């Protein structure tokens, strides 16, 4: 329902994303969307081929309007990075030179430390067709490259931005396993809860004529108990199952007795259950 959704704070921080001569507005828009997904907001464009602003970019951004509206266009890469203290260049190709090469996890961690220290940082991404040239890489402090298939190493620009943005977001979490939301807190079921469930099931099945032939009833009950007594149930789950059984009880009072019992040869009809 409209108006009942929880309002969540919009994260807008982190290193600048610098696109060098991006060709298609759609690609810029998808970059903006990836940035917004992971809390980045500062987009810098160096000489975009089709000009700026771009309605195609806005459409592809899927409501990441704050990134699109804040994008700044520069004529040269030197101007785009002039106010930054530290810059990574992304590339999938080995380069000649003496620059440190890092993977995305290590690079994101380094960016987070610099960001926390008050430094302004950025990450360079090259053209869709052939990336950054050597001179452009030379303007960066270090290189970040992704662990991709060597025989198919080319990433589109939005994919590359998304991968790096994801690693950036992870560095701001308390741990690698932290998520933005989790399952509701539920009280684990007690043994009494489980026994109550089993008694309810047994009573309902007995009334339905399930335990046939009678001499196999003890083994069938053992099998049912083995299934229903496994640990891991929560109390709300027990209540749900018992609600289902109560609903079926209404039907069982009207159905012919024995019509729900297993046929000879059916799985579970008194057979041993492997543990």
């Amino acid at each position: 329902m409209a108006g009942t959704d929880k309002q969540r704070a919009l994260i807008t921080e982190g290193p600048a994303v610098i696109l060098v001569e991006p060709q298609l507005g759609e690609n810029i828009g998808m970059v903006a969307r990836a940035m917004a997904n992971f809390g980045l907001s500062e987009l810098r464009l160096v000489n975009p081929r089709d000009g700026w602003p771009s309605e195609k970019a806005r459409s592809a951004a899927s409501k990441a309007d704050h990134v699109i509206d804040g994008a700044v266009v520069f004529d040269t890469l030197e101007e785009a990075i002039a106010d930054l203290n530290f810059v990574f260049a992304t590339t999938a190709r080995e380069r000649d030179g003496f620059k440190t090469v890092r993977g995305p996890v290590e690079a994101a961690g380094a960016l987070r430390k610099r960001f926390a220290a008050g430094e302004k940082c950025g990450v360079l991404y090259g053209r869709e067709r052939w990336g950054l040239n050597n001179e452009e890489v030379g303007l960066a402090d270090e290189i970040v490259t992704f662990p991709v298939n060597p025989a198919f190493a080319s990433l589109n620009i939005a994919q590359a931005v998304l991968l790096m943005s994801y690693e950036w977001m992870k560095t701001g979490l308390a741990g690698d396993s932290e998520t933005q939301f989790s399952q509701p807190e539920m009280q684990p079921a007690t043994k009494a809860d489980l026994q109550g469930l089993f008694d309810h099931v047994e009573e309902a099945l007995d009334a339905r004529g399930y335990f046939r032939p009678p001499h196999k009833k003890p083994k069938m009950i053992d099998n049912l108990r083995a299934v229903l007594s496994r640990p891991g149930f929560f109390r709300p789950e027990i209540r749900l199952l018992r609600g289902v059984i109560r609903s079926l009880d209404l039907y069982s009072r009207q159905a012919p007795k024995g019509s729900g019992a297993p046929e000879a040869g059916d799985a579970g009809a008194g057979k041993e259950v492997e543990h």
Side-chain angles (χ1 to χ4, degrees):
M1 290 176 60
T4 61
D5 292 338
K6 294 181 180 179
Q7 294 297 318
R8 297 179 179 177
L10 181 66
I11 303 173
T12 55
E13 62 178 19
V17 170
I18 303 131
L19 307 185
V20 179
E21 296 184 356
Q23 296 170 299
L24 299 174
E26 294 90 339
N27 288 342
I28 299 173
M30 287 188 286
V31 164
R33 180 178 184 178
M35 291 172 61
N37 284 150
F38 298 104
L40 299 179
S41 60
E42 187 176 354
L43 177 60
R44 303 185 181 191
L45 307 174
V46 178
N47 193 24
R49 186 189 68 179
D50 294 340
W52 193 260
S54 167
E55 287 307 313
K56 290 182 178 179
R58 185 176 297 277
S59 177
S62 296
K63 299 184 179 181
D65 293 332
H66 64 290
V67 179
I68 295 295
D69 291 338
V72 180
V73 177
F74 297 86
D75 291 329
T76 67
L77 177 55
E78 288 85 350
E79 292 172 335
I81 65 174
D83 65 324
L84 301 180
N85 302 113
F86 186 88
V87 176
F88 270 112
T90 61
T91 180
R93 303 193 308 273
E94 186 174 354
R95 307 279 182 158
D96 294 331
F98 302 97
K99 292 189 182 298
T100 300
V101 179
R102 302 185 188 273
V105 175
E106 186 182 14
L111 286 172
R112 179 66 69 175
K113 289 180 181 178
R114 291 180 178 276
F115 175 78
E119 293 188 32
K120 296 188 69 174
C121 302
V123 184
L124 305 182
Y125 299 86
R127 303 153 189 84
E128 290 93 329
R129 293 184 63 187
W130 47 278
L132 298 166
N133 61 38
N134 288 334
E135 290 75 15
E136 290 159 349
V137 172
L139 294 174
D141 297 280
E142 296 183 5
I143 290 172
V144 58
T145 191
F146 303 102
V148 293
N149 181 354
F152 199 78
S154 177
L155 294 171
N156 72 42
I157 190 171
Q159 289 174 326
V161 171
L162 185 142
L163 286 172
M164 196 63 202
S165 300
Y166 169 68
E167 294 299 342
W168 161 261
M169 173 65 91
K170 282 171 57 181
T171 64
L173 302 177
D176 289 341
S177 61
E178 183 182 351
T179 57
Q180 294 297 325
F181 59 90
S182 59
Q183 71 180 68
E185 292 288 335
M186 292 189 292
Q187 186 176 3
T190 65
K191 296 302 181 185
D193 294 325
L194 291 171
Q195 183 60 48
L197 171 64
F198 178 76
D199 290 343
H200 196 166
V201 171
E202 181 182 359
E203 180 183 350
L205 292 176
D206 212 8
R208 193 77 167 81
Y210 177 83
F211 299 110
R212 292 188 296 145
H215 71 275
K216 290 189 176 181
K217 180 179 177 180
K219 177 49 65 178
M220 297 171 75
I221 288 177
D222 287 345
N223 289 346
L224 282 170
R225 190 183 298 276
V227 171
L228 296 176
S229 299
R230 290 174 181 169
F233 278 112
F234 292 100
R235 278 189 163 174
E237 295 172 327
I238 297 292
R239 289 195 294 269
L240 172 66
L241 290 173
R242 296 193 67 167
V244 171
I245 296 167
R246 277 191 293 272
S247 178
L248 294 176
D249 280 346
L250 295 176
Y251 171 80
S252 69
R253 295 192 187 100
Q254 302 171 7
K257 188 170 184 178
S259 59
E263 299 295 333
D266 281 354
K271 295 182 179 179
E272 294 285 348
V273 174
E274 293 184 2
H275 296 284

